Amino acid sequence: AYEPLPGGPGSLTLPPDGTIRIGASDDIAYLLDGWDRPEVVAGVPARWTDRRAQVRFYVDQARPATLTLVGVAYPAGQQLTVSLNGQPVGHTPMAQDWAPYSLPLPGERFHARAVNTITLDHSQATSAFDATGGQSLDRRPLAAAYQIVGITWQ
C-alpha cells in the first residue's frame, strides 16, 4: 500500500520540460514498483529495473504525447512493452548500450485531471551474478536501467 500524496495528485505534475531524470534526488515521487536504488550506471545517474517497473504522473488534459526513454538493457535480446493506464501502447527491442526510445502515446489513453501510470514490461531479467558465472556478487534481477522518462505533449 502506498501512502497518500502529501501535496495531493497535483504534486505529481511533470517538470516543465516533461522530463523525469531517473537517478536524481527528486525522482522517487514518480516511481512505483520495480525500481532499484539510484546509482551510476556506465557513468550515468540511473536506476535499474526488474521485469516490470512503473512511473506515475499527474495529467491535467488528455492529449496525444510522445514518450521518450533513455535506457540500456542488461540481458541481450531485451524486448520492452509499454502500457499507459493498463493499455499497451508500444513495443521495442532494447540495446545493451545507452540509447533513446520514443513511442507515441494516444490522447484517449490518458485520464484527465488524474494520476496516470506508465508500465515498462521487459521480456527478461537476470542477475549480474548469473550472467558472470559468479564473478559479480550482485544477485538483483536486472532488466534495464533508465536515465530519462520524458513526456512531450503534441
Side-chain angles (χ1 to χ4, degrees):
Y2 295 97
E3 296 293 320
L5 296 169
S11 66
L12 289 175
T13 300
L14 290 167
D17 67 355
T19 301
I20 302 167
R21 286 167 179 73
I22 306 298
S25 61
D26 60 350
D27 72 347
I28 193 69
Y30 300 100
L31 305 181
L32 293 172
D33 294 332
W35 296 90
D36 213 327
R37 66 184 180 267
E39 59 187 286
V40 175
V41 178
V44 175
R47 288 181 188 256
W48 287 105
T49 65
D50 202 337
R51 284 193 60 185
R52 173 174 277 191
Q54 295 182 304
V55 178
R56 65 182 177 172
F57 53 93
Y58 179 82
V59 170
D60 191 41
Q61 290 182 306
R63 60 186 193 264
T66 300
L67 171 67
T68 300
L69 304 167
V70 176
V72 57
Y74 185 68
Q78 185 68 272
Q79 299 290 315
L80 171 65
T81 300
V82 176
S83 299
L84 174 58
N85 295 320
Q87 300 296 312
V89 293
H91 180 83
T92 188
M94 291 186 74
Q96 286 185 290
D97 291 315
W98 285 106
Y101 302 92
S102 292
L103 294 164
L105 299 175
E108 62 272 12
R109 298 276 172 87
F110 284 101
H111 302 307
R113 293 176 300 284
V115 174
N116 289 254
T117 303
I118 289 178
T119 303
L120 307 175
D121 281 309
H122 304 89
S123 60
Q124 56 187 322
T126 191
S127 71
F129 179 86
D130 290 338
T132 63
Q135 292 180 22
S136 170
L137 298 178
D138 190 344
R139 293 180 182 262
R140 297 174 293 167
L142 305 174
Y146 291 92
Q147 175 193 27
I148 297 287
V149 175
I151 303 290
T152 305
W153 300 105
Q154 297 174 6

